[in-house]
Amino acid sequence: MNLKKYFLTALGFFILNSTAYADVQFGDSGAEVEELQRLLTEKNYLDGVDGVFGELTEQALKNFQRDNNLIMDGICGAETLNKLRATSENILQFGSMGNKVTELQNILIQLNHLEGDADGYFGAATETALKNFQAANNLIVDGICGEMTFNLLNNAEFLETATITGDGGVAEIGDIIKSGMHGEGVVHLQEILINRGFLDGDADGWCGAATVAAICDFQRSAGLPADGVCGISTYAALENSQYATRDTSWQRAVEAFPKFSKTIFVEATAYSADDPSANSHYTASGTLIRRGIIAVDPNVIPLGTRVYIPDYGEAVAEDTGSAIKGNKIDIAFDTLEEAMQFGRQNLQIYIISD
């Protein structure tokens, strides 16, 4: 036997079963709560994981304790945790060994999530591969093969139709980004995550395990489900990163953020119908100049296109201008004062999907 692997496994078992385990209870949050919620979810006592020990988690835990002849106090102590883990026969995680790990590795190899041979030891490479699989299939990205992940991996019908994810596709800026994707969209996302302090290293344009984990970390910080997929709500949270929790302002921001097909970086200026230098109060499309329209280069943004502009809202491309060429737009306001206050800015705008 590989002594290093044996030592790590034995050490992990000792730590997991140590009597020094700190109780997890109402009001707690973090990784320990996530594990508790995952175990309760796998046993159908709870629906989902959010990392916060609230009333639903407390009641679910009491129900589990009642069904397993434990003290029904709603506190997850060492005895309750050991019982939760002991009744999860299919859980595999870092340090696990044996035939079930070999089976898991063979499936991950088949799906191009894992390279090399199945050696029966659940190490860092297997953990990373499993996280990629979980992210690609909208599972909780924790690198632990619990009952939900195990059942999907052993679903013959799923395996017959599963997409091989060695290349998850090219992502343009603004696309929904999942594990295995690559391209400018991933570079852009990684740069934001790096600037926000959620991702280390360089933006390499590949959405691997580190990027998926960074997305999950950001999603947790924004009060979103940590699924590792950068979709509409996650983009909205990145755009409105000042909202640390899902308060009323955050909810309004997400609701106001529409579904979009792509994003464009532009240099934006502003104008108004009451500008003394304006030649007309009408747009090139024949409509009145007013808030909610923009002037564009039709070769870049076709007339009639709906866009979303952060801190402004939705607008429609109805106007043109002699100076509006390439990635430039002119944003209409109701008053000259508003237009002058806006000035000139570099923005990321969103092309709204029909």
Side-chain angles (χ1 to χ4, degrees):
M1 175 182 287
N2 185 308
L3 292 178
K4 181 179 179 181
K5 291 180 182 178
Y6 177 81
F7 173 76
L8 288 172
T9 303
L11 179 61
F13 180 84
F14 172 77
I15 292 173
L16 289 174
N17 292 279
S18 169
T19 56
Y21 171 80
D23 292 349
V24 179
Q25 55 193 308
F26 186 88
D28 289 344
S29 61
E32 292 83 3
V33 176
E34 289 183 9
E35 182 190 5
L36 167 61
Q37 291 175 325
R38 175 179 54 75
L39 291 168
L40 290 169
T41 298
E42 288 169 354
K43 292 165 180 56
N44 295 319
Y45 285 95
L46 186 66
D47 183 18
V49 175
D50 63 8
V52 178
F53 197 127
E55 292 180 1
L56 292 178
T57 302
E58 184 178 50
Q59 187 57 55
L61 184 59
K62 285 181 178 179
N63 292 342
F64 173 81
Q65 291 172 325
R66 177 200 62 209
D67 295 343
N68 288 272
N69 298 317
L70 297 167
I71 297 174
M72 193 173 156
D73 57 5
I75 298 174
C76 185
E79 184 179 7
T80 297
L81 181 63
N82 288 337
K83 189 70 173 180
L84 278 163
R85 287 172 173 163
T87 55
S88 296
E89 299 177 356
N90 292 327
I91 286 183
L92 301 174
Q93 56 191 319
F94 189 89
S96 297
M97 301 174 65
N99 293 333
K100 285 190 176 181
V101 176
T102 302
E103 293 173 6
L104 168 64
Q105 291 172 326
N106 280 328
I107 296 173
L108 292 172
I109 290 169
Q110 174 189 336
L111 297 176
N112 280 357
H113 284 290
L114 182 64
E115 297 180 353
D117 298 322
D119 61 5
Y121 174 68
F122 197 123
T126 302
E127 184 178 53
T128 298
L130 187 61
K131 285 182 177 179
N132 285 337
F133 171 82
Q134 290 170 326
N137 291 280
N138 297 319
L139 296 167
I140 298 167
V141 183
D142 57 6
I144 297 172
C145 187
E147 292 181 16
M148 290 182 179
T149 301
F150 187 87
N151 289 340
L152 186 58
L153 283 165
N154 284 274
N155 185 313
E157 183 177 346
F158 164 77
L159 292 177
E160 287 178 3
T161 59
T163 302
I164 301 301
T165 57
D167 183 350
V170 177
E172 302 296 338
I173 293 177
D175 287 348
I176 292 175
I177 295 175
K178 299 181 179 181
S179 174
M181 299 184 79
H182 60 91
E184 288 301 313
V186 179
V187 171
H188 173 61
L189 172 61
Q190 290 173 325
E191 288 175 345
I192 295 175
L193 292 170
I194 290 169
N195 289 335
R196 298 275 194 273
F198 289 93
L199 181 64
D200 296 325
D202 299 322
D204 60 8
W206 177 262
C207 188
T211 302
V212 170
I215 294 171
C216 288
D217 288 343
F218 173 77
Q219 289 169 326
R220 291 188 189 97
S221 76
L224 293 169
D227 60 5
V229 177
C230 186
I232 303 300
S233 294
T234 301
Y235 274 116
L238 287 165
E239 188 64 47
N240 298 280
S241 60
Q242 67 268 34
Y243 301 118
T245 59
R246 298 174 85 176
D247 57 13
T248 304
S249 298
W250 154 250
Q251 192 61 40
R252 283 199 300 267
V254 172
E255 290 172 354
F257 206 93
K259 293 185 177 180
F260 58 92
S261 58
K262 65 177 180 178
T263 63
I264 298 178
F265 288 92
V266 298
E267 180 184 339
T269 51
Y271 71 120
S272 160
D274 60 6
D275 187 335
S277 63
N279 296 323
S280 170
H281 288 180
Y282 292 90
T283 69
S285 301
T287 57
L288 284 170
I289 294 175
R290 67 205 183 281
R291 183 184 179 90
I293 70 165
I294 57 172
V296 299
D297 181 344
N299 293 317
V300 177
I301 303 175
L303 290 174
T305 300
R306 294 168 57 230
V307 304
Y308 175 79
I309 304 171
D311 298 323
Y312 178 86
E314 292 191 24
V316 181
E318 293 184 0
D319 206 359
T320 60
S322 59
I324 308 302
K325 302 297 181 184
N327 283 36
K328 293 184 178 181
I329 65 172
D330 212 5
I331 303 174
F333 286 87
D334 290 327
T335 67
L336 179 60
E337 181 181 0
E338 290 176 296
M340 293 182 66
Q341 186 175 6
F342 179 87
R344 184 184 300 270
Q345 301 182 30
N346 292 316
L347 299 175
Q348 180 181 9
I349 66 172
Y350 300 79
I351 306 301
I352 298 174
S353 302
D354 294 329

